[in-house]
């Protein structure tokens, strides 16, 4: 594989990652408006956004670490009540990177 092909492939991957992040962030902003809302399964979200479950799992885990989601093993993820501190996170999701 030539260097140009490698660069093109890397660029395509970055663009796909950015598209996923934008679509996922929009989805999560809608979910934040509904405390107690149960997210779809990782497999369903991966199919919805056309990415691997690994990418979805990492995105959900980051939100869980931020305290806006509650994850239960074999029970899915649920949106917690968003506090003022967490509103900053929600606003950050709306800002383009």
């Amino acid at each position: 594989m030539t260097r140009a092909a490698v660069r093109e492939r890397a660029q395509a991957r970055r663009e796909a990652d950015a598209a996923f992040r934008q679509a996922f962030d929009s989805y999560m902003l809608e979910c934040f408006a509904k405390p107690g809302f149960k997210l779809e399964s990782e497999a369903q979200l991966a199919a919805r956004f056309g990415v691997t479950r690994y990418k979805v799992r990492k995105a959900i885990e980051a939100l869980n670490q931020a305290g806006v989601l509650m994850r239960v093993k074999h029970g899915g993820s649920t949106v917690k009540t968003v506090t003022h501190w967490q509103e900053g996170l929600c606003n950050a999701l709306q800002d383009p990177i």
Side-chain angles (χ1 to χ4, degrees), residues 16 20 23 43-53 55-56:
F20 161 68
Q44 290 169 324
L45 289 171
R48 172 191 282 235
F49 297 114
V51 295
T52 62
R53 282 183 55 214
K55 281 196 182 293
V56 171

Side-chain angles (χ1 to χ4, degrees), residues 70-87:
M70 178 176 58
R71 294 186 79 182
V72 177
K73 189 173 183 176
H74 303 292
S77 299
T78 305
V79 176
K80 290 183 177 180
T81 301
V82 179
T83 64
H84 292 294
W85 175 85
Q86 294 161 332
E87 285 176 7

Side-chain angles (χ1 to χ4, degrees), residues 26-84:
S26 294
Y27 171 77
M28 288 309 303
L29 284 171
E30 291 175 19
C31 294
F32 289 154
K34 310 173 209 167
F37 179 77
K38 186 173 178 187
L39 299 183
E40 299 172 49
S41 70
E42 290 175 359
Q44 290 169 324
L45 289 171
R48 172 191 282 235
F49 297 114
V51 295
T52 62
R53 282 183 55 214
Y54 177 78
K55 281 196 182 293
V56 171
R57 187 177 310 120
K58 287 296 186 184
I60 289 174
E61 184 56 34
L63 293 172
N64 183 48
Q65 292 295 321
V68 295
L69 291 179
M70 178 176 58
R71 294 186 79 182
V72 177
K73 189 173 183 176
H74 303 292
S77 299
T78 305
V79 176
K80 290 183 177 180
T81 301
V82 179
T83 64
H84 292 294

